[in-house]
Amino acid sequence: MYDQPRPNPSQTFMTFDRMLERVRYEGAYPTRERAAEAVHHVLAALGRQLTGDECADLAQCLPPEAALTLTAQIPDTEPLTGWGFVKDLAARTGASPAIARWDTGAVLAVIRRLAGPDLLARVIEGLPNGYALLFGQVELRRPRLLAAAA
């Protein structure tokens, strides 16, 4: 079987070291180690929320070390909203929700650039409400499906 190219290849290749430097800059972290910690925590949490082609396609855009963190996760059975994602990350890391939100924003800002607009739109569409804001995007209201009156 041949490995088929994905429709939205990454626009730029970034090494893991460069990714850590970008996250360190975005998050104003004092050390690379702190940036690496944020990357691994946020990508692991995102990996528990993403499934299917979006997860695989996003992993292809990332440096191998980051892709392994994203794809090594077992998806959660209960999808989390954007705020639920931040609260879950805070609980798992022992950080405050404010620190978890800061880490999320710093990491996802870099992920947003690596993914590109088409893949990012697909990723956000596949997640519950609130993730667009975490990726630094405008959160458009999704229409609610109304149950037909019987």
Side-chain angles (χ1 to χ4, degrees):
M1 180 184 329
Y2 295 105
D3 190 15
Q4 297 294 322
R6 299 288 182 170
N8 188 32
S10 176
Q11 301 300 323
T12 57
F13 175 76
M14 184 179 286
T15 66
F16 189 64
D17 288 336
R18 180 78 174 124
M19 181 182 186
L20 291 181
E21 286 303 316
R22 294 299 312 154
V23 170
R24 183 176 178 195
Y25 175 80
E26 290 289 335
Y29 297 118
T31 64
R32 281 177 44 95
E33 290 76 22
R34 178 64 184 96
E37 182 180 297
V39 166
H40 287 294
H41 288 307
V42 172
L43 286 178
L46 186 60
R48 289 189 292 274
Q49 296 301 309
L50 280 178
T51 59
D53 288 343
E54 287 74 26
C55 186
D57 292 348
L58 185 57
Q60 285 187 336
C61 297
L62 302 176
E65 301 89 338
L68 285 173
T69 300
L70 178 74
T71 58
Q73 308 308 310
I74 297 171
D76 284 345
T77 56
E78 187 69 30
L80 299 172
T81 64
W83 177 236
F85 177 89
V86 171
K87 290 191 305 187
D88 182 64
L89 182 61
R92 288 176 186 264
T93 62
S96 70
I99 297 294
R101 176 60 181 97
W102 184 269
D103 290 350
T104 299
V107 174
L108 295 185
V110 175
I111 300 302
R112 178 183 71 228
R113 286 192 286 281
L114 288 172
D118 295 338
L119 177 55
L120 183 63
R122 286 182 27 229
V123 166
I124 291 171
E125 184 62 31
L127 293 167
N129 287 334
Y131 283 87
L133 293 174
L134 297 179
F135 279 99
Q137 300 291 299
V138 174
E139 179 78 38
L140 300 176
R141 292 184 64 146
R142 295 182 186 173
R144 292 185 181 177
L145 298 177
L146 301 175

